[in-house]
Amino acid sequence: MNIGTIYYLVPDIFKSKFSLRWYLREVRRGRGIAFLKSCVRNHKKAIGGIKIFYQHVKYLRELGYDAHVLALGSFDGNVYYPDITAKKVRDVGFALNANDIVVATEFCPYDGLKFSNCLKVVFVQSWIYINEKKHDNDKDKSYRELGFDYVISCSEYISKLIEELNFEDCVTVQNGVDTKVFYPEPNLREVNRILCLPRKNRDDIERIREIVSERVPQANFVEVDGVSESVIAKEYRRADIFLATGYPEGFGLPSIEAIQSGCVVVGFHGQGGAEFLINEDTALISKDGDYEGAAENMIKVLNDPELKERIRQCSQAIVKKYTCDAMKQRIGDFYQDVDRDME
């Protein structure tokens, strides 16, 4: 093996940056004090993109690589894998070996460019940041022109978009779902229980709830946020339907976890989830932000048990493509190619 140490970089993003505009907005929402507190202390909330970094490290270790999470701030972002301890950048430094690899996020791409001598990979998990997080004078540059050796993404949509925007190759390393954590339990499922994750587009949830509740009073909307993976997994199993309001989405991990747990997905795919959220087949999908269309779809599935069960069964077939074993294979294939390039 030619590859040395692989470092997945966790950006210093777990403290809110004070902004008067954002502060006033939070004051209007009645959360002004909470916002001020978030500016002075770490907020240890689950972030899907960082979870995927830890998964990559876990599988790389199982494949025999020397892989680590490298925290660039005071918090390593780990709320999922207590057995993986992150290294601190002050202990590793920025001068690495020629066969080492750093993997940066698209949200903070310049973090990866701080390291010298090593190979650099940018892992894009959110398509809206492909050019947004580049400096003004770098907007027209591809990732390779910035200084990266490889570009990977978590979905087919992102890879195609990078190829179109930057005219560069991007390797798709799709996410997988741990079936030991996320699995259906029909006896636990509550009919008409609708699970919502308000982290994205909370206003859409409220609008959809208002429309649906007026016409289908038995609809039971339940919001869950900021809980452990085991708790959210149980909430998926209890739910009959998952309301997907995440857009934009690089991949749509909550939706695929919900499907794996036996939920019927109604809502939006955020573009990244379009490869497995297929309208009228594996889900009921509206155009991103069309809350009225999503509400109508929710009413339709609540009033048609046969449709609901047909979608539930169809979605179970497509989810088999997104297992942890498949994800591990894709990760291994990518780094094998990198290793061959070093020869």
Side-chain angles (χ1 to χ4, degrees), residues 176-199:
V177 181
D178 189 344
T179 55
K180 294 179 181 178
V181 178
F182 299 98
Y183 53 87
E185 195 170 352
N187 292 335
L188 191 63
R189 187 182 303 141
E190 300 175 22
V191 177
N192 297 335
R193 183 182 178 92
I194 304 165
L195 180 64
C196 316
L197 303 184
R199 186 171 63 87

Side-chain angles (χ1 to χ4, degrees), residues 14 43-47 50-51 54 75-82 227-230:
F14 292 94
H43 50 92
K44 300 183 178 182
K45 292 188 70 174
I47 295 179
I50 301 303
K51 172 186 175 179
Y54 275 87
F75 178 51
D76 60 14
N78 188 9
V79 295
Y80 296 104
Y81 297 100
V227 299
S228 68
E229 186 174 63
S230 61

Side-chain angles (χ1 to χ4, degrees), residues 142-200:
S142 68
Y143 283 116
R144 285 177 175 79
E145 288 171 332
L146 279 183
F148 288 96
D149 301 284
Y150 298 92
V151 186
I152 61 176
S153 87
C154 63
S155 72
E156 295 174 353
Y157 178 80
I158 293 178
S159 291
K160 291 177 182 177
L161 194 59
I162 288 173
E163 290 167 3
E164 292 172 1
L165 292 175
N166 292 353
F167 305 103
E168 61 183 335
D169 293 336
C170 179
V171 176
T172 305
V173 183
Q174 291 153 315
N175 297 333
V177 181
D178 189 344
T179 55
K180 294 179 181 178
V181 178
F182 299 98
Y183 53 87
E185 195 170 352
N187 292 335
L188 191 63
R189 187 182 303 141
E190 300 175 22
V191 177
N192 297 335
R193 183 182 178 92
I194 304 165
L195 180 64
C196 316
L197 303 184
R199 186 171 63 87
K200 289 184 178 181

Side-chain angles (χ1 to χ4, degrees), residues 19-246:
S19 160
L20 181 60
R21 180 171 66 87
W22 281 83
Y23 171 64
L24 294 176
R25 189 195 72 165
E26 295 303 302
V27 167
R28 288 194 294 271
R29 295 181 173 183
R31 299 199 291 265
I33 293 176
F35 175 75
L36 290 176
K37 289 181 178 179
S38 73
C39 293
V40 297
R41 68 185 183 191
N42 292 327
H43 50 92
K44 300 183 178 182
K45 292 188 70 174
I47 295 179
I50 301 303
K51 172 186 175 179
I52 299 303
F53 269 35
Y54 275 87
Q55 277 187 296
H56 274 226
V57 168
K58 176 178 182 291
Y59 298 143
L60 284 169
R61 290 181 177 182
E62 291 175 2
L63 290 167
Y65 291 92
D66 182 22
H68 301 271
V69 174
L70 183 58
L72 302 183
S74 57
F75 178 51
D76 60 14
N78 188 9
V79 295
Y80 296 104
Y81 297 100
D83 56 326
I84 298 178
T85 302
K87 290 182 176 290
K88 302 294 184 182
V89 70
R90 64 174 178 268
D91 300 321
V92 173
F94 291 97
L96 303 179
N97 296 318
N99 62 341
D100 291 338
I101 299 173
V102 294
V103 184
T105 69
E106 87 293 336
F107 190 80
C108 298
Y110 294 95
D111 284 348
L113 303 181
K114 295 176 183 177
F115 293 81
S116 59
N117 304 325
C118 60
L119 289 174
K120 301 174 180 64
V121 177
V122 61
F123 185 8
V124 183
Q125 298 188 69
S126 178
W127 55 269
I128 62 169
Y129 297 128
I130 291 174
N131 286 325
E132 183 180 328
K133 293 302 178 177
K134 296 175 184 175
H135 296 160
D136 288 342
N137 58 342
D138 291 336
K139 295 291 187 184
D140 294 330
K141 292 182 180 178
S142 68
Y143 283 116
R144 285 177 175 79
E145 288 171 332
L146 279 183
F148 288 96
D149 301 284
Y150 298 92
V151 186
I152 61 176
S153 87
C154 63
S155 72
E156 295 174 353
Y157 178 80
I158 293 178
S159 291
K160 291 177 182 177
L161 194 59
I162 288 173
E163 290 167 3
E164 292 172 1
L165 292 175
N166 292 353
F167 305 103
E168 61 183 335
D169 293 336
C170 179
V171 176
T172 305
V173 183
Q174 291 153 315
N175 297 333
V177 181
D178 189 344
T179 55
K180 294 179 181 178
V181 178
F182 299 98
Y183 53 87
E185 195 170 352
N187 292 335
L188 191 63
R189 187 182 303 141
E190 300 175 22
V191 177
N192 297 335
R193 183 182 178 92
I194 304 165
L195 180 64
C196 316
L197 303 184
R199 186 171 63 87
K200 289 184 178 181
N201 305 308
R202 178 188 289 270
D203 291 344
D204 285 340
I205 295 175
E206 295 304 321
R207 295 184 185 109
I208 293 167
R209 185 206 306 263
E210 183 177 350
I211 295 170
V212 173
S213 297
E214 184 176 340
R215 292 168 56 183
V216 188
Q218 66 269 30
N220 179 22
F221 287 81
V222 178
E223 290 190 10
V224 177
D225 188 28
V227 299
S228 68
E229 186 174 63
S230 61
V231 171
I232 189 61
K234 186 172 182 179
E235 289 296 334
Y236 282 135
R237 293 195 290 275
R238 292 181 64 190
D240 191 18
I241 301 167
F242 175 64
L243 176 56
T245 56

Side-chain angles (χ1 to χ4, degrees), residues 207-208 211 268 286 289-299:
R207 295 184 185 109
I208 293 167
I211 295 170
F268 319 118
S286 304
D290 179 11
Y291 67 88
E292 292 179 331
E296 290 299 325
N297 277 335
M298 184 67 73
I299 292 167

